[in-house]
Amino acid sequence: MAGVEAGYFVRALELRSGAELRIKQCDAGDVGCVVWDAALVLAKYLETSSFYRDGLHTFTGKSVVELGSGTGLVGLMAAVLGGESVKDLPPAPDYILVADCIYYEQSLEPLLRTMKELAGKNTCIICCYEERTMGNNPEIEIRFLKLLQADFEIEEIPLDKHDEEYKSEDIHILQIKRKQDH
Ligand SMILES: C[S@@+](CC[C@H](N)C(=O)[O-])C[C@H]1O[C@@H](n2cnc3c(N)ncnc32)[C@H](O)[C@@H]1O
């Protein structure tokens, strides 16, 4: 069958250039082995003209860190779009990208702490998450946003600015910046 090898499933994401990003997704493994829908939505959003609106955003020559990368699709897209590949974690990177990392209680505090320690006053954090209705997921999302608001300004990117094909009512993209007085 096309795209299937023993133990792997190849996820191919077509880029605007016509090239493909191909990720080998394991048949078995933990959450980090899967390309999650939020990663696809965020990766394709980074290619849209809305992201580059008025020349506000570009990855060319910028330092980009992906948190909770799993298979790394979003970071790979940033590299394709010109993001700098760095060996050491840069302080106050230009961009921090986060896909599908808000889903369990124990991850909230470490994720927030990492964002606070890493983000400088000009860092742009782009966080994409899937709204889930299972268990206490709704409360976790609300709690995360509330905690985040203490130190960061949050702007939700409207659905009509997402990629035309890779978008969904239940997948949200947030642009987050440190409050300037923090
Ligand atoms: C649902 S997966 C999303 C993976 C990838 N971003 C994507 O969207 O395809 C969540 C990822 O966050 C990582 N993660 C969650 N909590 C973490 C923590 N406290 N420290 C480091 N990584 C964490 C998991 O290992 C996993 O790779």
Side-chain angles (χ1 to χ4, degrees), residues 122-149:
N122 295 318
T123 300
C124 178
I125 303 173
I126 312 197
C127 175
C128 185
Y129 71 95
E130 181 171 350
E131 205 181 304
R132 294 186 170 94
T133 51
M134 296 172 304
N136 63 346
N137 266 287
E139 292 81 38
I140 287 173
E141 284 157 23
I142 291 167
R143 183 144 173 266
F144 178 77
L145 294 175
K146 208 170 158 195
L147 289 168
L148 194 64
Q149 274 167 349

PDB file of all heavy atoms in Angstrom, residues 122-149:
ATOM      1  N   ASN A 122      10.406  40.599  22.759  1.00  0.00           N
ATOM      2  CA  ASN A 122      10.003  40.633  21.349  1.00  0.00           C
ATOM      3  C   ASN A 122       9.704  39.243  20.773  1.00  0.00           C
ATOM      4  O   ASN A 122       9.465  39.109  19.577  1.00  0.00           O
ATOM      5  CB  ASN A 122      11.097  41.293  20.499  1.00  0.00           C
ATOM      6  CG  ASN A 122      11.244  42.754  20.881  1.00  0.00           C
ATOM      7  OD1 ASN A 122      10.249  43.448  21.084  1.00  0.00           O
ATOM      8  ND2 ASN A 122      12.475  43.219  21.020  1.00  0.00           N
ATOM      9  N   THR A 123       9.759  38.226  21.634  1.00  0.00           N
ATOM     10  CA  THR A 123       9.493  36.869  21.135  1.00  0.00           C
ATOM     11  C   THR A 123       8.019  36.714  20.784  1.00  0.00           C
ATOM     12  O   THR A 123       7.149  37.149  21.542  1.00  0.00           O
ATOM     13  CB  THR A 123       9.864  35.819  22.218  1.00  0.00           C
ATOM     14  OG1 THR A 123      11.249  35.946  22.522  1.00  0.00           O
ATOM     15  CG2 THR A 123       9.563  34.401  21.751  1.00  0.00           C
ATOM     16  N   CYS A 124       7.767  36.104  19.639  1.00  0.00           N
ATOM     17  CA  CYS A 124       6.386  35.815  19.243  1.00  0.00           C
ATOM     18  C   CYS A 124       6.160  34.315  19.428  1.00  0.00           C
ATOM     19  O   CYS A 124       6.862  33.498  18.827  1.00  0.00           O
ATOM     20  CB  CYS A 124       6.203  36.222  17.775  1.00  0.00           C
ATOM     21  SG  CYS A 124       4.572  35.848  17.162  1.00  0.00           S
ATOM     22  N   ILE A 125       5.207  33.975  20.300  1.00  0.00           N
ATOM     23  CA  ILE A 125       4.884  32.558  20.528  1.00  0.00           C
ATOM     24  C   ILE A 125       3.646  32.234  19.700  1.00  0.00           C
ATOM     25  O   ILE A 125       2.651  32.966  19.754  1.00  0.00           O
ATOM     26  CB  ILE A 125       4.585  32.289  22.024  1.00  0.00           C
ATOM     27  CG1 ILE A 125       5.777  32.716  22.896  1.00  0.00           C
ATOM     28  CG2 ILE A 125       4.239  30.822  22.255  1.00  0.00           C
ATOM     29  CD1 ILE A 125       5.502  32.644  24.389  1.00  0.00           C
ATOM     30  N   ILE A 126       3.720  31.171  18.930  1.00  0.00           N
ATOM     31  CA  ILE A 126       2.533  30.760  18.179  1.00  0.00           C
ATOM     32  C   ILE A 126       2.154  29.376  18.661  1.00  0.00           C
ATOM     33  O   ILE A 126       2.937  28.426  18.565  1.00  0.00           O
ATOM     34  CB  ILE A 126       2.793  30.767  16.668  1.00  0.00           C
ATOM     35  CG1 ILE A 126       3.449  32.091  16.336  1.00  0.00           C
ATOM     36  CG2 ILE A 126       1.475  30.576  15.914  1.00  0.00           C
ATOM     37  CD1 ILE A 126       3.444  32.500  14.950  1.00  0.00           C
ATOM     38  N   CYS A 127       0.977  29.306  19.238  1.00  0.00           N
ATOM     39  CA  CYS A 127       0.537  28.088  19.923  1.00  0.00           C
ATOM     40  C   CYS A 127      -0.749  27.604  19.279  1.00  0.00           C
ATOM     41  O   CYS A 127      -1.719  28.346  19.167  1.00  0.00           O
ATOM     42  CB  CYS A 127       0.312  28.441  21.395  1.00  0.00           C
ATOM     43  SG  CYS A 127      -0.376  27.115  22.377  1.00  0.00           S
ATOM     44  N   CYS A 128      -0.739  26.368  18.840  1.00  0.00           N
ATOM     45  CA  CYS A 128      -1.929  25.800  18.207  1.00  0.00           C
ATOM     46  C   CYS A 128      -2.396  24.623  19.057  1.00  0.00           C
ATOM     47  O   CYS A 128      -1.580  23.788  19.457  1.00  0.00           O
ATOM     48  CB  CYS A 128      -1.548  25.336  16.798  1.00  0.00           C
ATOM     49  SG  CYS A 128      -2.934  24.734  15.842  1.00  0.00           S
ATOM     50  N   TYR A 129      -3.668  24.594  19.366  1.00  0.00           N
ATOM     51  CA  TYR A 129      -4.158  23.471  20.174  1.00  0.00           C
ATOM     52  C   TYR A 129      -5.530  23.025  19.705  1.00  0.00           C
ATOM     53  O   TYR A 129      -6.286  23.799  19.126  1.00  0.00           O
ATOM     54  CB  TYR A 129      -4.196  23.832  21.673  1.00  0.00           C
ATOM     55  CG  TYR A 129      -5.270  24.821  22.046  1.00  0.00           C
ATOM     56  CD1 TYR A 129      -6.512  24.400  22.513  1.00  0.00           C
ATOM     57  CD2 TYR A 129      -5.042  26.188  21.911  1.00  0.00           C
ATOM     58  CE1 TYR A 129      -7.496  25.305  22.846  1.00  0.00           C
ATOM     59  CE2 TYR A 129      -6.022  27.106  22.236  1.00  0.00           C
ATOM     60  CZ  TYR A 129      -7.246  26.658  22.697  1.00  0.00           C
ATOM     61  OH  TYR A 129      -8.235  27.569  23.016  1.00  0.00           O
ATOM     62  N   GLU A 130      -5.794  21.760  19.961  1.00  0.00           N
ATOM     63  CA  GLU A 130      -7.096  21.205  19.590  1.00  0.00           C
ATOM     64  C   GLU A 130      -7.994  21.211  20.812  1.00  0.00           C
ATOM     65  O   GLU A 130      -7.600  20.754  21.883  1.00  0.00           O
ATOM     66  CB  GLU A 130      -6.913  19.767  19.067  1.00  0.00           C
ATOM     67  CG  GLU A 130      -8.222  19.149  18.640  1.00  0.00           C
ATOM     68  CD  GLU A 130      -8.038  17.819  17.928  1.00  0.00           C
ATOM     69  OE1 GLU A 130      -6.900  17.446  17.597  1.00  0.00           O
ATOM     70  OE2 GLU A 130      -9.068  17.151  17.709  1.00  0.00           O
ATOM     71  N   GLU A 131      -9.181  21.787  20.629  1.00  0.00           N
ATOM     72  CA  GLU A 131     -10.167  21.818  21.710  1.00  0.00           C
ATOM     73  C   GLU A 131     -10.731  20.409  21.842  1.00  0.00           C
ATOM     74  O   GLU A 131     -11.246  19.857  20.878  1.00  0.00           O
ATOM     75  CB  GLU A 131     -11.270  22.750  21.236  1.00  0.00           C
ATOM     76  CG  GLU A 131     -12.080  23.407  22.280  1.00  0.00           C
ATOM     77  CD  GLU A 131     -13.134  24.269  21.602  1.00  0.00           C
ATOM     78  OE1 GLU A 131     -12.791  25.150  20.791  1.00  0.00           O
ATOM     79  OE2 GLU A 131     -14.310  24.005  21.864  1.00  0.00           O
ATOM     80  N   ARG A 132     -10.580  19.829  23.028  1.00  0.00           N
ATOM     81  CA  ARG A 132     -11.078  18.451  23.203  1.00  0.00           C
ATOM     82  C   ARG A 132     -12.161  18.454  24.274  1.00  0.00           C
ATOM     83  O   ARG A 132     -12.089  19.220  25.232  1.00  0.00           O
ATOM     84  CB  ARG A 132      -9.937  17.521  23.598  1.00  0.00           C
ATOM     85  CG  ARG A 132      -8.901  17.355  22.490  1.00  0.00           C
ATOM     86  CD  ARG A 132      -7.871  16.306  22.883  1.00  0.00           C
ATOM     87  NE  ARG A 132      -7.013  15.941  21.781  1.00  0.00           N
ATOM     88  CZ  ARG A 132      -5.828  16.491  21.537  1.00  0.00           C
ATOM     89  NH1 ARG A 132      -5.363  17.442  22.333  1.00  0.00           N
ATOM     90  NH2 ARG A 132      -5.098  16.100  20.508  1.00  0.00           N
ATOM     91  N   THR A 133     -13.127  17.560  24.113  1.00  0.00           N
ATOM     92  CA  THR A 133     -14.237  17.544  25.067  1.00  0.00           C
ATOM     93  C   THR A 133     -14.112  16.389  26.062  1.00  0.00           C
ATOM     94  O   THR A 133     -14.890  16.284  26.997  1.00  0.00           O
ATOM     95  CB  THR A 133     -15.582  17.423  24.320  1.00  0.00           C
ATOM     96  OG1 THR A 133     -15.488  16.315  23.422  1.00  0.00           O
ATOM     97  CG2 THR A 133     -15.910  18.672  23.533  1.00  0.00           C
ATOM     98  N   MET A 134     -13.087  15.527  25.848  1.00  0.00           N
ATOM     99  CA  MET A 134     -12.923  14.357  26.719  1.00  0.00           C
ATOM    100  C   MET A 134     -12.482  14.772  28.131  1.00  0.00           C
ATOM    101  O   MET A 134     -11.697  15.722  28.265  1.00  0.00           O
ATOM    102  CB  MET A 134     -11.825  13.431  26.194  1.00  0.00           C
ATOM    103  CG  MET A 134     -12.087  12.793  24.864  1.00  0.00           C
ATOM    104  SD  MET A 134     -10.608  11.923  24.305  1.00  0.00           S
ATOM    105  CE  MET A 134      -9.367  13.177  24.330  1.00  0.00           C
ATOM    106  N   GLY A 135     -12.937  14.009  29.132  1.00  0.00           N
ATOM    107  CA  GLY A 135     -12.473  14.170  30.519  1.00  0.00           C
ATOM    108  C   GLY A 135     -12.426  15.622  30.956  1.00  0.00           C
ATOM    109  O   GLY A 135     -13.369  16.393  30.730  1.00  0.00           O
ATOM    110  N   ASN A 136     -11.292  16.003  31.586  1.00  0.00           N
ATOM    111  CA  ASN A 136     -11.200  17.382  32.079  1.00  0.00           C
ATOM    112  C   ASN A 136     -10.454  18.304  31.111  1.00  0.00           C
ATOM    113  O   ASN A 136      -9.946  19.346  31.496  1.00  0.00           O
ATOM    114  CB  ASN A 136     -10.570  17.419  33.483  1.00  0.00           C
ATOM    115  CG  ASN A 136      -9.150  16.914  33.469  1.00  0.00           C
ATOM    116  OD1 ASN A 136      -8.713  16.301  32.492  1.00  0.00           O
ATOM    117  ND2 ASN A 136      -8.427  17.157  34.551  1.00  0.00           N
ATOM    118  N   ASN A 137     -10.398  17.906  29.843  1.00  0.00           N
ATOM    119  CA  ASN A 137      -9.715  18.743  28.851  1.00  0.00           C
ATOM    120  C   ASN A 137     -10.241  20.169  28.776  1.00  0.00           C
ATOM    121  O   ASN A 137      -9.441  21.113  28.702  1.00  0.00           O
ATOM    122  CB  ASN A 137      -9.761  18.092  27.469  1.00  0.00           C
ATOM    123  CG  ASN A 137      -8.520  17.257  27.210  1.00  0.00           C
ATOM    124  OD1 ASN A 137      -7.450  17.796  26.998  1.00  0.00           O
ATOM    125  ND2 ASN A 137      -8.671  15.958  27.281  1.00  0.00           N
ATOM    126  N   PRO A 138     -11.575  20.391  28.775  1.00  0.00           N
ATOM    127  CA  PRO A 138     -12.060  21.777  28.721  1.00  0.00           C
ATOM    128  C   PRO A 138     -11.525  22.619  29.879  1.00  0.00           C
ATOM    129  O   PRO A 138     -11.091  23.761  29.678  1.00  0.00           O
ATOM    130  CB  PRO A 138     -13.582  21.624  28.793  1.00  0.00           C
ATOM    131  CG  PRO A 138     -13.849  20.252  28.264  1.00  0.00           C
ATOM    132  CD  PRO A 138     -12.678  19.419  28.713  1.00  0.00           C
ATOM    133  N   GLU A 139     -11.503  22.049  31.095  1.00  0.00           N
ATOM    134  CA  GLU A 139     -11.003  22.798  32.262  1.00  0.00           C
ATOM    135  C   GLU A 139      -9.505  23.088  32.113  1.00  0.00           C
ATOM    136  O   GLU A 139      -9.014  24.160  32.476  1.00  0.00           O
ATOM    137  CB  GLU A 139     -11.210  22.022  33.569  1.00  0.00           C
ATOM    138  CG  GLU A 139     -12.663  21.872  33.992  1.00  0.00           C
ATOM    139  CD  GLU A 139     -13.384  20.755  33.265  1.00  0.00           C
ATOM    140  OE1 GLU A 139     -12.767  19.706  33.021  1.00  0.00           O
ATOM    141  OE2 GLU A 139     -14.569  20.921  32.910  1.00  0.00           O
ATOM    142  N   ILE A 140      -8.771  22.124  31.560  1.00  0.00           N
ATOM    143  CA  ILE A 140      -7.318  22.293  31.388  1.00  0.00           C
ATOM    144  C   ILE A 140      -7.044  23.461  30.438  1.00  0.00           C
ATOM    145  O   ILE A 140      -6.175  24.295  30.687  1.00  0.00           O
ATOM    146  CB  ILE A 140      -6.692  20.975  30.874  1.00  0.00           C
ATOM    147  CG1 ILE A 140      -6.673  19.961  32.012  1.00  0.00           C
ATOM    148  CG2 ILE A 140      -5.286  21.196  30.315  1.00  0.00           C
ATOM    149  CD1 ILE A 140      -6.248  18.572  31.621  1.00  0.00           C
ATOM    150  N   GLU A 141      -7.803  23.528  29.357  1.00  0.00           N
ATOM    151  CA  GLU A 141      -7.607  24.621  28.394  1.00  0.00           C
ATOM    152  C   GLU A 141      -7.894  25.976  29.042  1.00  0.00           C
ATOM    153  O   GLU A 141      -7.125  26.927  28.900  1.00  0.00           O
ATOM    154  CB  GLU A 141      -8.517  24.414  27.180  1.00  0.00           C
ATOM    155  CG  GLU A 141      -8.012  23.337  26.243  1.00  0.00           C
ATOM    156  CD  GLU A 141      -9.103  22.744  25.376  1.00  0.00           C
ATOM    157  OE1 GLU A 141     -10.142  23.414  25.156  1.00  0.00           O
ATOM    158  OE2 GLU A 141      -8.923  21.602  24.935  1.00  0.00           O
ATOM    159  N   ILE A 142      -9.018  26.040  29.769  1.00  0.00           N
ATOM    160  CA  ILE A 142      -9.387  27.307  30.424  1.00  0.00           C
ATOM    161  C   ILE A 142      -8.306  27.710  31.422  1.00  0.00           C
ATOM    162  O   ILE A 142      -7.876  28.860  31.487  1.00  0.00           O
ATOM    163  CB  ILE A 142     -10.771  27.173  31.120  1.00  0.00           C
ATOM    164  CG1 ILE A 142     -11.858  27.041  30.048  1.00  0.00           C
ATOM    165  CG2 ILE A 142     -11.051  28.362  32.041  1.00  0.00           C
ATOM    166  CD1 ILE A 142     -13.204  26.600  30.572  1.00  0.00           C
ATOM    167  N   ARG A 143      -7.839  26.730  32.190  1.00  0.00           N
ATOM    168  CA  ARG A 143      -6.827  27.005  33.212  1.00  0.00           C
ATOM    169  C   ARG A 143      -5.530  27.502  32.563  1.00  0.00           C
ATOM    170  O   ARG A 143      -4.915  28.461  33.017  1.00  0.00           O
ATOM    171  CB  ARG A 143      -6.591  25.720  34.016  1.00  0.00           C
ATOM    172  CG  ARG A 143      -5.657  25.884  35.116  1.00  0.00           C
ATOM    173  CD  ARG A 143      -5.950  25.096  36.363  1.00  0.00           C
ATOM    174  NE  ARG A 143      -4.810  25.308  37.223  1.00  0.00           N
ATOM    175  CZ  ARG A 143      -3.777  24.499  37.263  1.00  0.00           C
ATOM    176  NH1 ARG A 143      -3.764  23.396  36.565  1.00  0.00           N
ATOM    177  NH2 ARG A 143      -2.763  24.772  38.040  1.00  0.00           N
ATOM    178  N   PHE A 144      -5.127  26.853  31.491  1.00  0.00           N
ATOM    179  CA  PHE A 144      -3.895  27.254  30.800  1.00  0.00           C
ATOM    180  C   PHE A 144      -4.002  28.708  30.329  1.00  0.00           C
ATOM    181  O   PHE A 144      -3.103  29.515  30.551  1.00  0.00           O
ATOM    182  CB  PHE A 144      -3.635  26.326  29.611  1.00  0.00           C
ATOM    183  CG  PHE A 144      -2.407  26.704  28.829  1.00  0.00           C
ATOM    184  CD1 PHE A 144      -1.141  26.405  29.312  1.00  0.00           C
ATOM    185  CD2 PHE A 144      -2.512  27.377  27.623  1.00  0.00           C
ATOM    186  CE1 PHE A 144       0.001  26.774  28.607  1.00  0.00           C
ATOM    187  CE2 PHE A 144      -1.379  27.747  26.913  1.00  0.00           C
ATOM    188  CZ  PHE A 144      -0.123  27.442  27.407  1.00  0.00           C
ATOM    189  N   LEU A 145      -5.137  29.033  29.696  1.00  0.00           N
ATOM    190  CA  LEU A 145      -5.306  30.391  29.159  1.00  0.00           C
ATOM    191  C   LEU A 145      -5.310  31.421  30.283  1.00  0.00           C
ATOM    192  O   LEU A 145      -4.738  32.500  30.160  1.00  0.00           O
ATOM    193  CB  LEU A 145      -6.589  30.477  28.328  1.00  0.00           C
ATOM    194  CG  LEU A 145      -6.557  29.616  27.053  1.00  0.00           C
ATOM    195  CD1 LEU A 145      -7.902  29.641  26.346  1.00  0.00           C
ATOM    196  CD2 LEU A 145      -5.466  30.079  26.095  1.00  0.00           C
ATOM    197  N   LYS A 146      -5.934  31.057  31.402  1.00  0.00           N
ATOM    198  CA  LYS A 146      -5.995  31.971  32.539  1.00  0.00           C
ATOM    199  C   LYS A 146      -4.592  32.225  33.109  1.00  0.00           C
ATOM    200  O   LYS A 146      -4.200  33.372  33.360  1.00  0.00           O
ATOM    201  CB  LYS A 146      -6.905  31.364  33.614  1.00  0.00           C
ATOM    202  CG  LYS A 146      -7.564  32.385  34.471  1.00  0.00           C
ATOM    203  CD  LYS A 146      -8.624  31.782  35.334  1.00  0.00           C
ATOM    204  CE  LYS A 146      -8.821  32.728  36.516  1.00  0.00           C
ATOM    205  NZ  LYS A 146      -9.552  32.117  37.594  1.00  0.00           N
ATOM    206  N   LEU A 147      -3.834  31.145  33.280  1.00  0.00           N
ATOM    207  CA  LEU A 147      -2.471  31.282  33.815  1.00  0.00           C
ATOM    208  C   LEU A 147      -1.593  32.086  32.855  1.00  0.00           C
ATOM    209  O   LEU A 147      -0.810  32.937  33.262  1.00  0.00           O
ATOM    210  CB  LEU A 147      -1.846  29.894  34.039  1.00  0.00           C
ATOM    211  CG  LEU A 147      -2.421  29.083  35.186  1.00  0.00           C
ATOM    212  CD1 LEU A 147      -1.933  27.641  35.129  1.00  0.00           C
ATOM    213  CD2 LEU A 147      -2.029  29.704  36.533  1.00  0.00           C
ATOM    214  N   LEU A 148      -1.778  31.824  31.573  1.00  0.00           N
ATOM    215  CA  LEU A 148      -0.991  32.493  30.544  1.00  0.00           C
ATOM    216  C   LEU A 148      -1.218  34.009  30.557  1.00  0.00           C
ATOM    217  O   LEU A 148      -0.288  34.803  30.395  1.00  0.00           O
ATOM    218  CB  LEU A 148      -1.402  31.903  29.189  1.00  0.00           C
ATOM    219  CG  LEU A 148      -0.534  32.158  27.965  1.00  0.00           C
ATOM    220  CD1 LEU A 148       0.837  31.525  28.162  1.00  0.00           C
ATOM    221  CD2 LEU A 148      -1.191  31.577  26.714  1.00  0.00           C
ATOM    222  N   GLN A 149      -2.489  34.384  30.782  1.00  0.00           N
ATOM    223  CA  GLN A 149      -2.863  35.810  30.728  1.00  0.00           C
ATOM    224  C   GLN A 149      -2.169  36.653  31.795  1.00  0.00           C
ATOM    225  O   GLN A 149      -2.109  37.873  31.671  1.00  0.00           O
ATOM    226  CB  GLN A 149      -4.376  35.962  30.888  1.00  0.00           C
ATOM    227  CG  GLN A 149      -5.087  35.830  29.559  1.00  0.00           C
ATOM    228  CD  GLN A 149      -6.584  35.654  29.720  1.00  0.00           C
ATOM    229  OE1 GLN A 149      -7.076  35.433  30.830  1.00  0.00           O
ATOM    230  NE2 GLN A 149      -7.306  35.739  28.626  1.00  0.00           N
TER     231      GLN A 149
END
